[in-house]
Amino acid sequence: MEAATLNSPHFTTLHGPLRSRRSLLKLHSNSISFNSPPANFSVRASATGGGDSAVTLLDYGAGNVQSIRNAIRYLGLNIKDVQTPEDILNAKRLIFPGVGAFAAMMDVLNRNGMAEALHTYIEKDRPFLGICLGLQLLFESSDENGPVKGLGVIPGVVGRFDSSNGCRVPHIGWNSLKVNKDSVILDDVANSHVYFVHSYRAVPSEENEEWISSTCNYGIDFISSIRRGNVHAVQFHPEKSGDVGLSILRKFLLPNSSITKKPLEGKATKLAKRVIACLDVRTNDNGDLVVTKGDQYDVREQTKDNEVRNLGKPVELAGQYYIDGADEVSFLNITGFRDFPLGDLPMLQILRYTSENVFVPLTVGGGIRDFTDANGRYYSSLEVASEYFRSGADKISIGSDAVYAAEEYLKTGIKTGKSSLEQISRVYGNQAVVVSIDPRRQYLTSPYEVGFKSVKVSNLGPNGEEYAWYQCTVNGGREGRPIGAYELAKAVEELGAGEILLNCIDCDGQGQGFDIDLIKLISDAVSIPVIASSGAGKAEHFSEVFSKTNASAALAAGIFHRKEVPIHSVKDHLLKKGIEVRI
């Protein structure tokens, strides 16, 4: 994954367990303050006690590793965090969940004497599980910000995926495994999808074939897991791969467990199209945090009381969607642009509680921007995003702030590095940043009426117009901006976005289907994944958007909340249409 060096002054690291991290924020929105980062970056301090049931975790402080912590605890085990090289050498079971940039991680490991200890531990065939970057570090070197030397345990160089062959980079989503040999921890999951999110990969060769336990295809075959003796590593994220991932972790952590639960038999053959459940969250008039749904972004009932539409409790709904088979869950704090986002402790708590039992990717958006509080204290968007990541988010979604950044970039041609999009993608990697685009259709009689990219529409406008451009909006669709969706998408990709969430105000809440013209326009224009949103009313709308556009995923809200179309019905329909999905 791409990210900035962890020595960057923009990077914030917090020490201590989750329960103690809450003390880093004062409880009142007008007086929140962060502890200053240490002068020299160090490995995270111990979180929980040791003992025979403890799993040693090498968490060097970048990105969201809360999910692997939750998965370990879910399996009934305690966590002992690495503080010294000796903790690695004395570990009975060691997990290394690599998140961030190759060069930055090697720098941290070398400065703290961890690299040598890790190499020794692995050479002695001690129980080890590397995840994502924890696999890549075992190779000789990586081209990411390099070449940069790795541990050199496995022959080979880690290189970047080539987007010129039609593959979207980053590789995000649920893909299949081809298990090559007895892998132990991959028993029973050969036909299942697992969750990947990365831009760099190692490829098979004669020199490293003895290590390879499985491969995956994404344009080319790449190494998805290795195993030799007690040493295991996977390129995918088991902590985000649902029951399949928990089964893999259980086999590594509890090899003698009497638990025989196996994941459902799958039929995975390639990268699946994703079905995402979205929860728009806000407080109602009684002050309760509820899931709501807009009708062209209006979330109030058309009644005398004009109350906020209440469709359920966020944590409960997210848990149910996980059980129902949602490939991701997205939270949108739809009033986050108005207030002080770090003062929204209930939203942070929703993430914490949800991530304890939901083992698929979680995205959160709303109010992620630079701001100054009532006391004049300045907070960067990176600080805001960091708190969301520490609370359990895997990706953050940026809306209005990305529009402003794109406008400035298109005006000047200069990447300042100061926008929230650039700051967060530089530190956490572009795969962790989603840009949410909220456009409104503007009809034209000629494609030359405006200076923005337009399309010939499938359905004529109210006055017979044959063309339209898509004007981007900010502040929850309330304000139009002088930039089109096409121009915005191209700009944010260059600024570091890893994915685009493409909404359409005209289709929102209408249940008449996605805006195919818009989604095709944008998904053909960029090389990063595009999530189709707004307008789903039946299962057939999902097959339509996947068959007519290059969308990688489709998102819905109201039809799931109101139980009009269950998630499993959508997936059953897609399977019947020959579209690969995770089951």
Coordinates of all heavy atoms in Angstrom, one line a residue, residues 279-293 299-301 306-314 332-340 343-350 478:
L279 N -25.3 3.3 5.4 CA -26.1 3.8 6.5 C -25.9 5.3 6.6 O -24.8 5.7 7.0 CB -25.8 3.0 7.8 CG -26.2 1.6 7.8 CD1 -25.1 0.7 7.2 CD2 -26.3 1.1 9.3
D280 N -26.9 6.1 6.2 CA -26.8 7.5 6.5 C -27.2 7.7 7.9 O -28.3 7.4 8.4 CB -27.8 8.3 5.6 CG -27.4 8.2 4.1 OD1 -26.2 7.9 3.8 OD2 -28.2 8.4 3.2
V281 N -26.3 8.3 8.7 CA -26.5 8.5 10.1 C -26.6 9.9 10.5 O -25.8 10.8 10.1 CB -25.3 7.8 10.9 CG1 -25.5 7.9 12.4 CG2 -25.2 6.3 10.5
R282 N -27.6 10.3 11.4 CA -27.7 11.6 11.9 C -28.5 11.6 13.2 O -29.2 10.5 13.5 CB -28.3 12.6 10.9 CG -29.7 12.3 10.5 CD -30.4 13.5 10.0 NE -30.6 14.5 11.0 CZ -31.0 15.8 10.8 NH1 -31.1 16.2 9.5 NH2 -31.2 16.6 11.8
T283 N -28.5 12.6 13.9 CA -29.4 12.7 15.1 C -30.8 13.1 14.7 O -31.0 13.9 13.8 CB -28.9 13.7 16.1 OG1 -28.7 15.0 15.5 CG2 -27.6 13.2 16.8
N284 N -31.8 12.5 15.3 CA -33.2 13.0 15.0 C -33.5 14.1 15.9 O -32.7 14.6 16.7 CB -34.2 11.8 15.2 CG -34.2 11.2 16.6 OD1 -33.7 11.9 17.6 ND2 -34.8 10.1 16.7
D285 N -34.8 14.5 15.9 CA -35.2 15.7 16.7 C -35.2 15.5 18.2 O -35.3 16.4 19.0 CB -36.5 16.2 16.3 CG -36.5 16.6 14.8 OD1 -35.5 17.2 14.4 OD2 -37.5 16.4 14.1
N286 N -35.1 14.2 18.6 CA -35.0 13.9 20.0 C -33.5 13.7 20.5 O -33.3 13.3 21.7 CB -35.8 12.6 20.3 CG -37.2 12.7 20.0 OD1 -37.8 13.8 20.3 ND2 -37.9 11.7 19.5
G287 N -32.6 13.9 19.6 CA -31.2 13.7 19.9 C -30.6 12.3 19.8 O -29.5 12.1 20.2
D288 N -31.4 11.4 19.3 CA -31.0 10.0 19.1 C -30.3 9.8 17.8 O -30.7 10.4 16.8 CB -32.2 9.0 19.2 CG -32.9 9.1 20.5 OD1 -32.2 9.3 21.5 OD2 -34.1 9.1 20.5
L289 N -29.2 9.1 17.8 CA -28.5 8.8 16.5 C -29.2 7.7 15.8 O -29.4 6.6 16.3 CB -27.0 8.4 16.8 CG -26.0 8.7 15.8 CD1 -25.9 10.2 15.6 CD2 -24.6 8.2 16.3
V290 N -29.7 7.9 14.6 CA -30.5 7.0 13.8 C -30.0 6.8 12.4 O -29.3 7.7 11.9 CB -32.0 7.4 13.8 CG1 -32.5 7.5 15.2 CG2 -32.2 8.7 13.0
V291 N -30.3 5.7 11.8 CA -30.1 5.6 10.3 C -31.3 6.2 9.6 O -32.5 5.9 10.0 CB -30.0 4.1 10.0 CG1 -29.9 3.9 8.5 CG2 -28.7 3.5 10.7
T292 N -31.1 7.0 8.6 CA -32.1 7.6 7.9 C -31.9 7.4 6.4 O -30.9 6.8 6.0 CB -32.3 9.1 8.2 OG1 -33.4 9.7 7.6 CG2 -31.0 9.9 7.8
K293 N -32.8 7.9 5.6 CA -32.6 7.8 4.1 C -33.3 9.0 3.5 O -34.4 9.3 3.8 CB -33.2 6.5 3.6 CG -33.0 6.4 2.1 CD -31.5 6.2 1.7 CE -31.3 6.2 0.2 NZ -31.3 7.6 -0.3
V299 N -34.1 14.2 4.1 CA -34.3 13.0 5.0 C -35.5 13.2 5.9 O -35.7 12.4 6.8 CB -33.0 12.8 5.9 CG1 -31.9 12.5 5.0 CG2 -32.8 14.0 6.8
R300 N -36.3 14.2 5.7 CA -37.5 14.4 6.6 C -38.8 13.9 5.9 O -38.9 14.0 4.7 CB -37.6 15.9 7.0 CG -36.5 16.4 7.9 CD -36.8 17.8 8.4 NE -35.7 18.1 9.4 CZ -35.8 17.8 10.7 NH1 -36.8 17.2 11.2 NH2 -34.8 18.2 11.5
E301 N -39.6 13.3 6.8 CA -40.9 12.8 6.3 C -41.8 14.0 5.8 O -41.8 15.1 6.4 CB -41.6 12.1 7.5 CG -40.8 10.9 8.0 CD -40.9 9.6 7.1 OE1 -41.5 9.8 5.9 OE2 -40.5 8.5 7.5
N306 N -43.0 16.7 10.2 CA -41.7 16.8 9.4 C -40.5 16.2 10.1 O -39.4 16.8 10.1 CB -41.5 18.3 9.1 CG -40.5 18.5 7.9 OD1 -39.6 19.4 8.0 ND2 -40.6 17.8 6.9
E307 N -40.7 15.1 10.7 CA -39.7 14.5 11.5 C -38.6 13.8 10.6 O -38.9 13.5 9.5 CB -40.2 13.5 12.5 CG -40.8 12.2 11.9 CD -42.3 12.4 11.5 OE1 -42.8 13.5 11.5 OE2 -42.9 11.4 11.2
V308 N -37.4 13.6 11.2 CA -36.3 12.9 10.5 C -36.8 11.4 10.3 O -37.2 10.8 11.3 CB -35.0 13.0 11.3 CG1 -34.0 12.0 10.7 CG2 -34.5 14.4 11.4
R309 N -36.6 10.9 9.1 CA -37.0 9.5 8.8 C -36.1 8.6 9.6 O -34.9 8.6 9.5 CB -36.8 9.3 7.3 CG -37.4 8.1 6.8 CD -37.4 8.1 5.2 NE -38.3 9.1 4.7 CZ -37.9 10.1 4.0 NH1 -36.6 10.3 3.8 NH2 -38.8 11.0 3.5
N310 N -36.7 7.7 10.4 CA -35.9 6.8 11.3 C -36.1 5.4 10.8 O -37.2 4.8 10.8 CB -36.5 6.9 12.7 CG -35.7 6.1 13.7 OD1 -34.9 5.2 13.3 ND2 -35.9 6.3 15.0
L311 N -35.0 4.8 10.3 CA -35.0 3.4 9.8 C -34.2 2.4 10.6 O -34.1 1.3 10.1 CB -34.4 3.5 8.3 CG -35.3 4.3 7.3 CD1 -34.6 4.3 6.0 CD2 -36.7 3.7 7.2
G312 N -33.8 2.8 11.8 CA -33.1 1.8 12.6 C -31.9 2.4 13.4 O -31.5 3.5 13.2
K313 N -31.3 1.5 14.2 CA -30.1 1.8 14.9 C -28.9 1.4 14.2 O -28.8 0.3 13.7 CB -30.2 1.1 16.3 CG -31.4 1.5 17.2 CD -31.4 0.8 18.5 CE -32.6 1.3 19.3 NZ -32.6 0.6 20.6
P314 N -27.9 2.3 14.1 CA -26.7 2.0 13.2 C -26.0 0.7 13.5 O -25.7 -0.1 12.6 CB -25.8 3.2 13.5 CG -26.8 4.3 14.0 CD -27.8 3.6 14.7
L332 N -22.3 7.1 6.7 CA -22.1 8.5 6.3 C -22.8 9.4 7.3 O -24.0 9.3 7.5 CB -22.8 8.7 4.9 CG -22.7 10.2 4.4 CD1 -21.3 10.6 4.2 CD2 -23.5 10.3 3.1
N333 N -22.0 10.2 8.0 CA -22.5 11.1 9.0 C -23.0 12.4 8.2 O -22.2 13.2 7.8 CB -21.4 11.5 9.9 CG -21.8 12.5 11.0 OD1 -22.9 12.9 11.0 ND2 -20.9 12.8 11.9
I334 N -24.3 12.4 7.9 CA -24.8 13.4 6.9 C -24.9 14.8 7.4 O -25.3 15.7 6.7 CB -26.1 12.9 6.3 CG1 -27.2 12.8 7.4 CG2 -25.9 11.6 5.5 CD1 -28.5 12.4 6.8
T335 N -24.6 15.0 8.7 CA -24.6 16.4 9.2 C -23.2 16.7 9.6 O -22.9 17.7 10.3 CB -25.5 16.6 10.4 OG1 -25.2 15.6 11.4 CG2 -27.0 16.4 10.0
G336 N -22.2 15.9 9.3 CA -20.8 16.1 9.7 C -20.2 17.4 9.2 O -19.3 17.9 9.8
F337 N -20.7 17.9 8.0 CA -20.1 19.1 7.5 C -20.5 20.3 8.3 O -19.9 21.4 8.1 CB -20.6 19.3 6.0 CG -22.1 19.6 5.9 CD1 -22.6 20.9 5.9 CD2 -23.0 18.5 5.7 CE1 -23.9 21.2 5.8 CE2 -24.4 18.8 5.6 CZ -24.8 20.1 5.6
R338 N -21.5 20.2 9.2 CA -22.0 21.4 9.9 C -21.2 21.6 11.2 O -21.0 22.8 11.6 CB -23.5 21.2 10.3 CG -24.4 21.1 9.1 CD -25.8 20.8 9.6 NE -26.7 20.7 8.5 CZ -28.0 20.3 8.7 NH1 -28.4 20.0 9.9 NH2 -28.8 20.1 7.6
D339 N -20.8 20.6 11.8 CA -20.3 20.7 13.2 C -18.8 20.3 13.3 O -18.2 20.0 12.3 CB -21.2 19.9 14.1 CG -22.7 20.3 14.0 OD1 -22.9 21.5 14.1 OD2 -23.5 19.4 13.9
F340 N -18.4 20.2 14.6 CA -17.1 19.8 14.9 C -17.0 18.3 14.9 O -17.5 17.6 15.8 CB -16.8 20.3 16.3 CG -15.5 20.0 16.9 CD1 -14.3 20.2 16.2 CD2 -15.4 19.4 18.2 CE1 -13.1 19.9 16.8 CE2 -14.2 19.1 18.8 CZ -13.1 19.3 18.1
G343 N -15.9 16.2 17.8 CA -16.8 16.2 19.0 C -18.0 15.2 18.9 O -18.7 15.1 19.8
D344 N -18.0 14.5 17.7 CA -19.1 13.6 17.5 C -18.7 12.2 18.1 O -18.5 11.3 17.3 CB -19.4 13.5 16.0 CG -20.7 12.8 15.7 OD1 -21.4 12.4 16.7 OD2 -21.1 12.7 14.5
L345 N -18.6 12.2 19.4 CA -18.2 10.9 20.0 C -19.2 9.8 19.8 O -18.7 8.6 19.6 CB -18.1 11.1 21.5 CG -16.9 12.1 22.0 CD1 -16.9 12.2 23.5 CD2 -15.6 11.6 21.4
P346 N -20.5 10.0 19.7 CA -21.4 8.8 19.3 C -21.0 8.2 18.0 O -21.1 7.0 17.9 CB -22.8 9.5 19.3 CG -22.7 10.6 20.2 CD -21.3 11.2 20.0
M347 N -20.6 9.0 17.0 CA -20.2 8.4 15.7 C -18.9 7.5 15.9 O -18.8 6.4 15.3 CB -20.0 9.5 14.7 CG -19.8 9.0 13.3 SD -21.4 8.3 12.7 CE -20.8 7.1 11.4
L348 N -18.0 8.0 16.7 CA -16.8 7.2 16.9 C -17.1 5.9 17.7 O -16.6 4.9 17.4 CB -15.8 8.0 17.7 CG -15.3 9.3 17.1 CD1 -14.4 10.1 18.0 CD2 -14.5 9.0 15.8
Q349 N -18.1 6.0 18.6 CA -18.5 4.8 19.3 C -19.2 3.8 18.4 O -19.0 2.6 18.5 CB -19.4 5.2 20.5 CG -18.7 6.0 21.6 CD -19.6 6.5 22.6 OE1 -20.8 6.6 22.4 NE2 -19.1 6.9 23.8
I350 N -20.0 4.3 17.4 CA -20.6 3.4 16.5 C -19.5 2.6 15.7 O -19.7 1.4 15.6 CB -21.4 4.2 15.5 CG1 -22.7 4.7 16.1 CG2 -21.7 3.4 14.2 CD1 -23.6 5.6 15.2
R478 N -26.4 21.0 -1.3 CA -27.1 22.2 -1.2 C -26.5 23.3 -2.1 O -27.1 24.3 -2.3 CB -27.0 22.7 0.3 CG -27.9 21.9 1.2 CD -27.6 22.1 2.7 NE -28.6 21.5 3.5 CZ -28.5 20.2 3.8 NH1 -27.6 19.4 3.3 NH2 -29.4 19.6 4.6

